[in-house]
Every structure is written in structure tokens, then in C-alpha cells.
Amino acid sequence: SSLGQNVARRWFGQRWSFYRTKRTMWNARKVITVSEYSARDIATLYGIPREKIAVIYNGVSDAFRPFSDPTRLAQLRDRFAWPTDRFILFAGGADPRKNHRALLEAYAMQAAQLRSHCLIMLGAPTHRFGNIHDSAKALGLSDRVVCAGHLSAEELRVLYAHADLFAFPSLYEGFGMPVLEAMACGAPVITSATTSLPEVAGDAAVLIDPHSPEQLAEALVRVLTDRALRETLRAKGFERAKQFTWERAARRTLAVYREVCR
């Protein structure tokens, strides 16, 4: 059948891509990746010696920084008709890997406690394996969830800078750039205690089990009801983000090139 042929072509394409990548890595004198977690994944998956892999962290753009822009914020509020002035921000859309369902379930568990905050969901609201609108409706949250889609960098910066909380309970990340972008703008962060995210967030975020909506629900309430904790997370997050610069990444990349060309 045509379906069977499509599946066979996809499977063959994935296998060929895997072996081509493996061959390229083995032929390379050095492999650069963005986190220790990714380095371990690469070593395990492709059988590459760990000492052949260099870890160079991504940097955070200078465009992401703490600031206040009430006018731009009001324009976004009017555009998307937020039901509350205060909000929890999420990025990743309906991709199941980004774990939007766990966040919605966590919010539903504590809806009464969190009634002063709506959820603003960034990214595509539909995916072939997920739908934010359907998930929100099933949990009775349709009037509490705002799907803002894909925004410009400037609009994203406005939301990061004015969010009471950035929630990023992703199931898998090779790095986790949104965590640092949010921190650089001064947003308190809750993220996953798995894959690369603890490595990136350090002690500047509340870390939770992404498979536990109950744990996430408790963390949401704790951060949003504890002003001192929010201020501590903001301060730690800002300092954490400053450690990840593109200048540092460029210098370390140049050092790797010098090493392999020596």
C-alpha cells in the first residue's frame, strides 16, 4: 500500500541518516556539542569516545535583558485578550516533547489557587501528536489558556520580562535555550530535573519531575505565592544567564579549531 511504502521510505531514510551521521562523526577529529548531557548521548548512540567530544555551551543574545515596557505589554494583552493581568508563560507549543499537557494538568489541580494568573502558551498550538486547545478544553481551562503562537523576538522579550513565572517542563532537551532567555529577562523559572536542563539552569531554577503534574502543581503555587522566592530566582537567574555568552562560545570554538589544526 502507499502507506506501507511511505513508512518504509521514512524508516530507510532514518536509518541511512543515522549511519551517515555516525560515519561523519567517526571521520571527524573532534565533535562539538552544546551540553554534557548531549555529549553523553552522542557517545552512547554513535559509539564515539567521550574524549573526542568537546562541550561548548550556547550563548544568550544581548537582546534578552530585564526591562519594563507597559505600553508594549498592554498592546499584547489587547491583541490576545488575556483574562488576567498576571500570567504564567510557557514555550514549546503542542509538541509532546515540550510537555504542555503536564503544565495544563498541574494548573487544573491548583486552579483556585492560581485564579489570578492565566497561562500564555507560545508556539504552534497544534501538532500531529498534540493539541493545546483540546487539552485545555478537556480540563475545563479554555477560558484560562491563551495560545499566542509564534512571536517576534521583541514580543517574546516583553513576555519574558513581565511574566510572574516561566514554566518549561520539557521531557527532553539537548540544551534548553528558553530557560536562559527567560532568566536573562528576569523571569523566575521552573524547569525539568532531567536531560540537559539541570546543567543549564544550575541552582537558579526550581527543578521538578516532568512526569509528575502533582510536583509541578506544587511548584507553581509555591513560586507564585512566595515573593521572596521569586526575587531570589530572578536574581540567581540573571547571574546564571550572564555565564552563557556567545563571545565565550566563539573563543572556545576557536580553541578547538586550533587544537585539531595543530
Side-chain angles (χ1 to χ4, degrees), residues 40-41 45 57 70 96 118 124 126 135 156-157 165 179 211 217 227 231 245 255 258:
R40 292 193 296 271
D41 253 9
L45 185 62
Y57 291 124
C118 64
T126 61
S135 297
L156 178 58
R157 184 179 63 175
L165 172 63
V179 167
H211 298 283
R227 174 176 286 187
E231 292 307 315
T245 69
R258 284 173 171 160

Side-chain angles (χ1 to χ4, degrees), residues 6-60:
N6 288 336
V7 170
R9 280 197 296 269
R10 189 178 301 117
W11 181 86
F12 178 79
Q14 290 172 345
R15 296 286 291 181
W16 169 243
S17 177
F18 172 85
Y19 285 116
R20 183 176 56 188
T21 302
K22 182 175 182 178
R23 184 181 61 193
T24 300
M25 287 191 178
W26 272 100
N27 288 337
R29 295 178 65 183
K30 204 77 172 179
V31 175
I32 296 174
T33 191
V34 293
S35 68
E36 292 290 345
Y37 176 81
S38 291
R40 292 193 296 271
D41 253 9
I42 290 169
T44 300
L45 185 62
Y46 295 106
I48 304 296
R50 177 61 185 84
E51 59 272 17
K52 189 176 181 177
I53 305 171
V55 173
I56 301 176
Y57 291 124
N58 289 327
V60 183

